[in-house]
């Protein structure tokens, strides 16, 4: 979140060193990709590869400046290191950004050119879809590089990760209930969900099966009504979702929903949802939740099912294995909550600490030369040093 703030502070007058920015967050490598003939300006940031190749999606966005793009890719790639580490995956953190307008600037040549830069990194970075990128764009990237994951089932990949993300979110809700209520049963628990999209569909299905009382809203009320009808939930107006008297509030739509306007309105004991970047500001709104006595399941921990899914694709996709890994989010969150309680720190700080600890420990054991890799499949190949 400091980086987001930093973006706002960047002005032409700002004294700006690219190496200072790279070193400030301990990045290993940043690659600037330029191909003026096809209009490609992209940056790939590899944050840390102690655990494995840097994995993270490529985003296409009309950044106002190169600096803004750089800060965004540095922030996002570091987040991927933490996310993979705390999910117990043998992956590092990476991210790519293409500077451009996704509505106007997409061409086959641009994405194939980008794909060649990814290929040139020889597996240090593996890419996937992110904001502004769709299936067709990734198909072009894949024409030039094998280092792409999160591919559709039709093309032999793992397909839409939403059901695995929902399973992980459900496991995370149960762990949070265990911590707060002493039991992980969600029977009769009131759960209000913001967003009736892909993940929410599977999440509501699991919650309804268990017997939770569900409230749901969406920007497009018909989406909320469709889910409510199928699984027996109650539809709430999108403006009223923060006021629902409930046990668990589950943000499953947008980022920055936990802010100075919404937090005072919440009437819940737990926040546990799949949306990315839920806290508008970690430093301001994290403490505000603590003051209000609300347990916050760090977003990148509870929504790691999607990453777990694409990581499994790299090893030869096995849905059962992906599901059992997503269910382990339960234990991961319990560890994070215990660590936070022991040190009296916010839960998101506790998860960052545990992520860094794993990166350091596993990075250290790799100092010992081993003649063969412990890993199998394609990920094993990528992990060989
Ligand atoms: P989605 O686009 O299918 O669903 C999001 C829904 O939220 C849409 O129906 C949209 O209309 C609704 N919405 C937007 N603004 C809203 C508002 N102000 N109030 C109420 N509803 C609103 O997305 P998804 O795949 O279900 O993902 C949901 C969230 O989880 C996103 O933040 C996404 O980045 C994150 N996430 C998803 C996955 C995954 O596997 N799909 C993995 C990790 C994180």
């Amino acid at each position: 979140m400091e980086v987001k703030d930093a973006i706002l502070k960047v002005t032409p007058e700002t004294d700006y060193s690219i190496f200072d920015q790279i070193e400030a967050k301990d990045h290993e490598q940043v690659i600037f990709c330029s191909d003026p003939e096809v209009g490609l300006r992209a940056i790939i940031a590899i944050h840390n590869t102690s655990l494995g190749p840097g994995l993270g999606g490529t985003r296409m966005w009309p950044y106002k400046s190169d600096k803004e793009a750089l800060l965004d890719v540095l922030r996002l790639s570091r987040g991927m290191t933490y996310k993979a580490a705390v999910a117990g995956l043998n992956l590092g953190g990476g991210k790519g950004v293409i500077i451009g307008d996704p509505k106007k600037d997409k061409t086959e040549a641009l994405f194939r050119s980008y794909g060649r830069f990814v290929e040139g990194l020889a597996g240090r970075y593996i890419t996937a879809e992110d904001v502004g990128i769709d299936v067709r764009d990734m198909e072009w990237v894949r024409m030039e590089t094998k280092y792409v994951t999160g591919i559709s089932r039709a093309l032999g990949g793992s397909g839409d990760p939403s059901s695995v993300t929902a399973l992980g979110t459900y496991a995370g809700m149960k762990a949070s209930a265990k911590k707060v209520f002493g039991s992980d049963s969600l029977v009769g628990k009131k759960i209000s969900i913001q967003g009736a999209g892909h993940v929410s569909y599977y999440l509501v299905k699991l919650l309804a099966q268990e017997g939770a009382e569900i409230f749901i809203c969406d920007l497009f009320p018909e989406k909320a009504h469709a889910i409510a009808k199928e699984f027996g939930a109650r539809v709430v107006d999108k403006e009223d979702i923060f006021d629902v008297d409930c046990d668990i509030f589950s943000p499953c739509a947008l980022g920055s929903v936990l802010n100075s306007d919404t937090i005072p309105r919440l009437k819940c004991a737990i926040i546990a949802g799949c949306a990315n970047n839920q806290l508008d500001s970690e430093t301001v709104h994290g403490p505000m939740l603590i003051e209000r006595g609300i347990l916050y399941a760090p977003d990148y921990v509870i929504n790691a099912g999607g990453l777990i899914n694409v990581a499994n694709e790299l090893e030869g996709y096995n849905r059962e294995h992906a599901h059992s890994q997503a269910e382990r989010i339960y234990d991961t969150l319990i560890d994070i909550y215990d660590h936070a309680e022991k040190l009296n720190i916010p839960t998101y700080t506790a998860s960052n600490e545990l992520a860094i600890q794993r990166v350091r420990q596993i990075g250290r054991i790799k100092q010992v030369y081993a003649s063969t890799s412990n890993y199998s499949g394609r990920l094993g190949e990528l992990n060989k040093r």
Side-chain angles (χ1 to χ4, degrees), residues 83 160-166 194-201 217-220 223 238 241 251-255 257 274-276 303-307:
K83 185 167 186 165
D160 180 6
S162 301
S163 65
V164 184
T165 304
Q194 184 192 37
H198 290 92
V199 179
S200 294
Y201 176 86
C217 77
D218 198 277
L219 206 52
F220 302 98
K223 292 178 84 172
K238 75 173 172 47
I241 197 74
C252 295
L254 299 172
V257 286
C274 70
N276 281 312
N303 74 13
L307 180 63

Side-chain angles (χ1 to χ4, degrees), residues 59-337:
R59 178 170 289 199
M60 186 170 192
W61 194 254
Y63 292 101
K64 289 193 196 78
S65 67
D66 303 351
K67 293 170 189 174
E68 191 182 280
L70 176 65
L71 288 170
D72 206 28
V73 78
L74 293 177
R75 173 181 71 94
L76 294 166
S77 54
R78 185 178 66 163
M80 291 307 295
T81 298
Y82 289 6
K83 185 167 186 165
V86 90
L89 298 170
N90 289 313
L91 289 167
K95 203 85 184 182
V97 294
I98 297 176
I99 302 170
D101 186 340
K103 292 196 191 83
K104 292 192 303 214
D105 299 332
K106 289 185 176 181
T107 62
E108 177 184 354
L110 182 140
F111 284 105
R112 292 186 68 162
S113 176
Y114 177 71
R116 294 184 72 81
F117 281 100
V118 173
E119 180 68 16
L121 291 168
R124 274 177 56 70
Y125 170 61
I126 301 170
T127 194
E129 277 178 42
D130 198 86
V131 175
I133 302 285
D134 60 33
V135 176
R136 185 195 57 167
D137 310 331
M138 268 303 145
E139 282 175 15
W140 284 327
V141 173
R142 275 187 78 224
M143 287 176 189
E144 303 297 334
T145 180
K146 54 192 165 298
Y147 302 113
V148 177
T149 188
I151 296 160
S152 68
R153 282 205 210 186
L155 294 172
S158 57
D160 180 6
S162 301
S163 65
V164 184
T165 304
L167 185 61
T169 307
Y170 173 67
M173 279 186 182
K174 288 180 80 66
S176 308
K178 175 82 181 162
K179 188 73 190 170
V180 173
F181 307 122
S183 158
D184 65 16
S185 169
L186 299 177
V187 177
K189 288 282 181 275
K190 290 184 178 169
I191 301 176
S192 70
I193 302 176
Q194 184 192 37
H198 290 92
V199 179
S200 294
Y201 176 86
Y202 297 104
L203 180 61
V204 172
K205 187 175 181 182
L206 291 165
L207 293 171
Q209 274 165 4
E210 182 163 349
E213 194 180 336
I214 303 154
F215 303 82
I216 190 161
C217 77
D218 198 277
L219 206 52
F220 302 98
E222 63 277 13
K223 292 178 84 172
H225 280 288
I227 290 184
K229 191 172 169 207
E230 188 167 347
F231 301 113
R234 263 191 266 172
V235 175
V236 177
D237 189 276
K238 75 173 172 47
E239 302 302 332
D240 300 333
I241 197 74
F242 300 102
D243 305 311
V244 176
D245 198 346
C246 60
D247 298 293
I248 303 178
F249 172 56
S250 183
C252 295
L254 299 172
S256 298
V257 286
L258 303 175
N259 55 50
S260 304
D261 294 331
T262 58
I263 292 172
R265 290 166 59 187
L266 294 174
K267 298 185 189 77
C268 62
I270 293 166
I271 296 173
C274 70
N276 281 312
N277 306 317
Q278 292 170 28
L279 291 168
D280 192 32
S281 157
E282 274 186 10
T283 45
V284 177
H285 302 113
M288 209 183 253
L289 288 176
I290 295 172
E291 274 165 35
R292 292 235 31 223
I294 298 173
L295 182 72
Y296 171 62
D299 46 17
Y300 75 82
V301 180
I302 194 168
N303 74 13
L307 180 63
I308 288 168
N309 205 51
V310 294
N312 269 269
E313 185 176 314
L314 292 169
E315 300 204 62
Y317 190 62
N318 176 328
R319 189 160 291 271
E320 265 177 44
H321 186 241
H323 281 196
S324 69
Q325 272 191 314
E327 281 168 351
R328 272 185 234 148
I329 288 174
Y330 183 107
D331 297 325
T332 305
L333 274 173
I334 295 285
D335 287 347
I336 288 168
Y337 293 151

